[in-house]
Amino acid sequence: MIDGKSERGDHPVERRKLRQWVLKITAYAERLLEGHKDLEWPESSIRLQKNWIGRSTGAEVQFRLEGHDEILCVYTTRPDTLFGATYMVLSPEHPLVDKLTLPEQLGDIENYKAEAAKKSDLERTDLAKDKTGVFTGSFAINPINGAKVPIWVADYVVMSYGTGAIMAVPAHDERDFEFATAMNIPIQQVIEDDAASAKNESTQLPFCGTGTMVNSDEYTGLSSSEGQAKVIANLESRDLGSASVQYKLRDWLFSRQRYWGEPFPVTWVSKQAYEKALAAEDSPFREFAPEEPITFEEEGEVRYALPVPANQLPLELPEVESYEPVGTGESPLAGVSDWLDVWLNVETGATLASTDAKPEGNQWVSGTRETNTMPQWAGSCWYYLRYCDPKNPNNVIDPKVSEYWGVPDIYIGGAEHVNLHLLYARFWHQVLFDAGVTTSPEPFPKLLHQGMILGEMEFTLYSGAEGNPVSSDTVENAKNFTQKSLSESEVEKVGDSWVLKENTAIKIDARSHKMSKSRGNAVNPDKLISSFGADATRLFLMFLGPIEDMKPWNTKGIEGVSRFLRRLWREVVTEEGQINSKLKDEHETNKALEKLLHETIKKVTEDIERLNFNTVVSQLMILLNQMVKVESYSKDTVRVFLQLLNPMAPHISEELWKRLDGTVSISDTPWPWFDESKLVADEVKIVLQVNGKHRGELMVSVDASKEDVEALALNQERVQNSIEGKTVRKVIYVPGRILNVVAI
RNA sequence: GCCUGGAUGGCGGAAUUGGUAGACGCGCCGGACUCAAAAUCCGGUUCCUUCGGGAGUGAGGGUUCGACCCCCUCUCCAGGUACCA
């Protein structure tokens, strides 16, 4: 939406009350938080969901109203600041606003409400700079000390959180402080900042932390946390409040006013029809009927939501000529009258189009189908279960099948899904778990966010109106300058910045951008595959860097992995298509190569487990480089190499495997194992340091003692030179790694 | 504003437990092969250097025999989020 108009088509946008369906995700808020502890997810993603669910603890406090019988209930996380409540605020939509508005304030309040209604939620928060509000003329009584506090209406309080009303404590809340200052409302300090007091300073208001209570009668001197408990206890004893937990999470609006999407399996009927449908013991309607009927009033008549019985499912969308809106804000389905209006048999559930004549018998009643449809989440929240049992006509998934397959081992997806899909799917899964459909409590035990691949590095030169080049660090708004993209040969790096070669005073903007159509920097994988093959393309994507990182693309880099694969091919197959004669039938005899092979098995196995694919590729390159260097090696060594490569480059590894007399497919062979004993060398390299500085290295046998190594080290010329004229104070020896001589 | 990541050669990155910083690859430089090119192979490639060394992982400080790694302060970049009482 831009300036009150839709971005597409420029239509005016307005808010309208609509009948909607919501899923009660708030009932699972606690479960969704609780479940986090068993998830192997990035810390930051768990934190994101936690913040989104937004659990807070505090108290509901009841304020009596002067001259009214109603009670004004507010939610606060800081009952310890109750003595500092110098005014109250109602959200403009709060139901008590009209009642509390005195006649002389009526005009102002009405105007203010109208203004607030015009603003979208976004605008209301966008215009957060200056606080606005209007006094109602009424007062509330503070339950803790009987003080009379004025009641205001302001849009910085929203109806959808807590009770839609607050007690305002300007001394200890930034927003209230801002508002009170603007409206000239008294500010009463009731908490002291302990850190400031310790330094003999006075508390800087607004002070929003916890501290020591002051100006609070018998509570003065208590810590915030003690005070909170005592204030709540006091209120509870007088039935004027109670401890309370609130969530930011709202119930989930699950209906859409469009054609596409699963229609809600509900028929709206009269009260008589509804009761009749549920009366019979064996009624097919009973299975899905809610405990309390769901109703709404339409043109003075109350309509009852009768669930479509199982024998009528699935309810499918009607074939229609047009998906155009009907103009009322309802779904296009509301215009498909031969689908919309039905004759319903309240005993059997049978449903006929209303274009047919009404069948005989008083068990047939008229009904109207629900026209809202479901959002795409209706499918995306459980597909991973359904994939395991896609043809099951009776259930989402057979619980036995669910138990066999379990849930996805790992979910790889963007972080933008954390507060949408991943939260929604967890909710659905928990509901299905409670219903006994699935046997695992959580759908995605392990989560990984892959990083985005950016376009190639671009060098951009900015020029002013006269075509004069401008240094990029002086450019604040790029739109005011002409941009020219430069090739790498026109720029060079000086210090930390990229500059123009011909004028090194001009800095160049050098960065990678998101791949996008508009920028034209997208890379077509089909082209890569046709030039380099699918194996090289896969391998390069993995070689680029850590999977979670955002990385710039560099098409030239694919040459490297392509060469690696071609070199491997040449190692195994000669130009004539024969197996290379350097590959021997006997077991590996080259000790050094065998050691490297086992190191590679270990590293590849562990790195795949950790999803460190880039280092898997590096390690395989190291091994191949060594194989190329030596004169000959065993076919077994190549076979293991191919097995390790197989998950990364399945085609070439399978082909070479077959050429090495592989009878079964390489992917059916067991993963190679490494022999710990093959990893230990007879000799190890010890790095020699003097005062932490590298001063040479030494090969010693693995079981050399500290004394032996020390003696050898002190014999080295470079070591001697470094300690000349100094006294050796200490020698630190890390077996197999390092010997550090500390000399002063 | 707040929260979360991150910063290492010309570039992508490696260093998994505090123990040789720059693995592996790209690019670049030099050479071999070739009539030539492609392909391939060999050598070099952090910076400075008086060739002994010295400096170096965004900046500054600290802990340690030893710090890319731990602690403090700051800068920049990326992502998320915002009247939630």
Side-chain angles (χ1 to χ4, degrees):
Chain A
M1 189 172 86
I2 299 165
D3 296 332
K5 304 271 184 69
S6 66
E7 191 176 350
R8 298 280 166 86
D10 207 28
H11 303 292
V13 174
E14 58 174 304
R15 314 181 89 173
R16 215 184 264 188
K17 278 204 181 292
L18 289 175
R19 180 172 51 76
Q20 303 271 20
W21 294 88
V22 294
L23 299 190
K24 204 167 180 188
I25 192 170
T26 50
Y28 276 73
E30 211 54 51
R31 278 275 291 283
L32 288 165
L33 287 170
E34 185 65 16
H36 280 144
K37 69 180 190 325
D38 301 319
L39 299 181
E40 202 181 321
W41 283 22
E43 258 325 298
S44 60
S45 301
I46 292 201
R47 209 168 5 240
L48 222 55
Q49 274 200 355
K50 277 203 170 121
N51 290 344
W52 188 259
I53 295 166
R55 182 184 202 272
S56 75
T57 55
E60 282 193 355
V61 184
Q62 302 191 352
F63 285 67
R64 277 181 296 118
L65 297 166
E66 200 180 59
H68 296 275
D69 293 336
E70 282 87 356
I71 295 283
L72 178 57
C73 186
V74 302
Y75 173 72
T76 178
T77 53
R78 293 296 301 276
D80 54 319
T81 65
L82 189 47
F83 284 88
T86 54
Y87 66 104
M88 314 287 292
V89 183
L90 302 183
S91 123
E93 296 84 12
H94 196 281
L96 283 175
V97 170
D98 291 341
K99 203 156 251 171
L100 292 175
T101 303
L102 295 192
E104 56 268 34
Q105 306 293 339
L106 193 61
D108 288 351
I109 292 278
E110 286 303 318
N111 284 342
Y112 190 76
K113 278 172 68 176
E115 278 301 309
K118 261 197 262 170
K119 296 180 197 167
S120 71
D121 283 347
L122 260 177
E123 282 177 303
R124 255 165 85 164
T125 52
D126 240 20
L127 299 168
K129 298 283 173 277
D130 295 310
K131 297 256 182 306
T132 57
V134 186
F135 179 45
T136 61
S138 295
F139 292 85
I141 307 300
N142 188 331
I144 200 79
N145 59 2
K148 205 170 121 174
V149 283
I151 303 173
W152 289 67
V153 172
D155 67 1
Y156 80 90
V157 171
V158 294
M159 194 56 220
S160 46
Y161 183 76
T163 62
I166 61 159
M167 63 176 218
V169 185
H172 306 295
D173 181 284
E174 261 172 58
R175 297 148 300 173
D176 297 346
F177 184 84
E178 212 181 299
F179 187 82
T181 308
M183 301 297 167
N184 245 328
I185 297 170
I187 296 167
Q188 171 67 53
Q189 186 197 339
V190 293
I191 303 286
E192 215 163 65
D193 178 358
D194 295 337
S197 312
K199 286 186 278 181
N200 255 326
E201 289 167 12
S202 59
T203 299
Q204 196 67 25
L205 296 186
F207 171 67
C208 307
T210 52
T212 305
M213 292 173 73
V214 292
N215 302 323
S216 301
D217 296 353
E218 71 265 33
Y219 300 90
T220 294
L222 294 182
S223 73
S224 285
S225 59
E226 289 171 314
Q228 289 179 5
K230 292 213 165 139
V231 167
I232 291 173
N234 174 331
L235 294 172
E236 274 176 347
S237 72
R238 296 187 291 136
D239 267 343
L240 288 171
S242 57
S244 164
V245 174
Q246 291 285 331
Y247 303 92
K248 278 200 253 180
L249 186 70
R250 312 284 158 77
D251 278 327
W252 178 12
L253 179 68
F254 203 69
S255 45
R256 301 289 184 270
Q257 293 72 51
R258 61 186 179 202
Y259 173 84
W260 293 111
E262 299 81 350
F264 282 81
V266 163
T267 313
W268 294 97
V269 296
S270 68
K271 182 167 196 249
Q272 296 85 331
Y274 186 83
E275 284 168 354
K276 205 166 172 183
L278 294 183
E281 210 41 54
D282 57 349
S283 161
F285 291 100
R286 283 200 164 193
E287 188 184 353
F288 300 136
E291 279 172 33
E292 288 293 319
I294 294 164
T295 63
F296 85 103
E297 204 178 307
E298 189 182 43
E299 289 158 10
E301 197 195 340
V302 180
R303 309 280 278 158
Y304 280 66
L306 189 62
V308 172
N311 62 25
Q312 300 295 307
L313 294 177
L315 174 62
E316 290 178 355
L317 286 170
E319 299 270 348
V320 293
E321 291 291 320
S322 151
Y323 312 114
E324 296 293 308
V326 287
T328 59
E330 289 174 281
S331 156
L333 291 172
V336 189
S337 54
D338 55 347
W339 178 82
L340 182 70
D341 299 314
V342 292
W343 300 119
L344 183 66
N345 186 318
V346 291
E347 287 170 7
T348 65
T351 310
L352 296 173
S354 63
T355 44
D356 298 334
K358 183 181 178 188
E360 290 296 316
N362 63 359
Q363 71 272 37
W364 288 91
V365 300
S366 70
T368 311
R369 289 195 203 270
E370 169 61 40
T371 59
N372 281 299
T373 54
M374 299 186 201
Q376 82 285 5
W377 312 110
S380 67
C381 283
W382 57 290
Y383 67 87
Y384 57 92
L385 291 175
R386 186 65 180 178
Y387 282 171
C388 303
D389 197 6
K391 302 226 162 109
N392 190 327
N394 302 315
N395 208 340
V396 167
I397 181 173
D398 186 319
K400 283 203 192 80
V401 174
S402 172
E403 187 158 10
Y404 175 79
W405 286 106
V407 288
D409 295 321
I410 182 165
Y411 180 104
I412 302 181
E416 71 277 10
H417 290 137
V418 167
N419 283 340
L420 294 167
H421 173 229
L422 289 169
L423 188 67
Y424 294 152
R426 286 185 64 216
F427 164 53
W428 273 59
H429 193 93
Q430 291 179 349
V431 171
L432 291 171
F433 176 76
D434 290 349
V437 173
T438 169
T439 48
S440 12
E442 286 283 341
F444 311 125
K446 187 170 180 180
L447 171 66
L448 179 100
H449 302 306
Q450 85 282 22
M452 201 185 312
I453 308 285
L454 304 174
E456 297 218 27
M457 170 102 92
E458 293 176 42
F459 301 96
T460 310
L461 171 68
Y462 295 101
S463 341
E466 295 85 34
N468 53 312
V470 176
S471 210
S472 66
D473 50 352
T474 63
V475 170
E476 271 173 27
N477 188 350
K479 287 191 179 119
N480 300 335
F481 295 86
T482 315
Q483 299 180 27
K484 187 187 166 206
S485 104
L486 302 177
S487 74
E488 208 175 331
S489 59
E490 295 172 278
V491 297
E492 64 181 331
K493 192 159 187 183
V494 173
D496 288 338
S497 348
W498 287 89
V499 298
L500 201 54
K501 251 185 195 169
E502 52 189 38
N503 181 356
T504 53
I506 302 297
K507 288 187 181 168
I508 301 297
D509 184 45
R511 58 192 300 180
S512 296
H513 301 267
K514 276 186 190 174
M515 288 193 190
S516 69
K517 258 188 205 162
S518 59
R519 201 168 262 280
N521 58 349
V523 174
N524 183 348
D526 293 343
K527 282 192 183 145
L528 293 171
I529 290 169
S530 62
S531 327
F532 298 98
D535 281 345
T537 306
R538 284 168 65 112
L539 210 55
F540 183 51
L541 281 170
M542 289 189 248
F543 187 55
L544 270 178
I547 190 163
E548 303 97 324
D549 288 3
M550 201 181 252
K551 306 170 279 278
W553 178 256
N554 175 7
T555 296
K556 272 185 188 148
I558 198 172
E559 292 280 2
V561 291
S562 177
R563 273 174 210 152
F564 163 70
L565 292 178
R566 279 179 286 161
R567 194 179 309 147
L568 168 66
W569 183 269
R570 287 195 312 270
E571 255 324 88
V572 181
V573 184
T574 63
E575 260 177 74
E576 294 77 37
Q578 307 300 310
I579 296 297
N580 195 333
S581 58
K582 78 187 272 192
L583 310 195
K584 306 297 179 198
D585 285 323
E586 56 267 28
H587 290 301
E588 190 56 65
T589 51
N590 185 327
K591 281 280 175 226
L593 188 63
E594 190 183 42
K595 176 165 178 271
L596 180 60
L597 178 70
H598 283 264
E599 283 168 359
T600 302
I601 299 170
K602 182 172 156 71
K603 181 156 178 65
V604 168
T605 306
E606 290 172 355
D607 279 357
I608 287 178
E609 205 61 46
R610 280 191 290 256
L611 308 166
N612 291 347
F613 302 125
N614 54 330
T615 50
V616 168
V617 180
S618 300
Q619 184 63 35
L620 289 170
M621 284 172 166
I622 292 169
L623 178 56
L624 181 66
N625 288 347
Q626 197 55 37
M627 284 157 61
V628 169
K629 257 182 212 150
V630 300
E631 236 158 66
S632 71
Y633 45 85
S634 164
K635 279 183 184 166
D636 289 344
T637 298
V638 187
R639 290 196 181 97
V640 171
F641 184 98
L642 293 174
Q643 286 176 306
L644 297 177
L645 177 68
N646 182 248
M648 317 281 147
H651 304 96
I652 190 174
S653 51
E654 180 79 50
E655 177 67 25
L656 292 175
W657 178 266
K658 283 275 162 67
R659 286 184 185 234
L660 286 172
D661 311 323
T663 45
V664 294
S665 166
I666 189 171
S667 43
D668 289 334
T669 60
W671 188 249
W673 55 277
F674 64 91
D675 184 345
E676 204 68 62
S677 69
K678 297 269 172 31
L679 298 177
V680 285
D682 306 337
E683 286 203 309
V684 285
K685 186 163 74 179
I686 299 293
V687 171
L688 305 179
Q689 293 185 340
V690 175
N691 295 333
K693 291 223 163 79
H694 185 222
R695 287 290 181 266
E697 45 213 33
L698 206 57
M699 293 304 294
V700 299
S701 93
V702 270
D703 43 14
S705 70
K706 181 184 175 185
E707 288 69 28
D708 295 345
V709 180
E710 194 178 324
L712 284 167
L714 292 173
N715 242 336
Q716 296 247 322
E717 202 187 328
R718 287 183 70 198
V719 174
Q720 283 175 353
N721 289 344
S722 310
I723 60 174
E724 204 180 297
K726 295 173 182 169
T727 319
V728 175
R729 302 277 174 187
K730 199 176 357 170
V731 176
I732 286 145
Y733 179 57
V734 182
R737 285 189 184 272
I738 211 158
L739 183 104
N740 188 13
V741 180
V742 184
I744 306 167

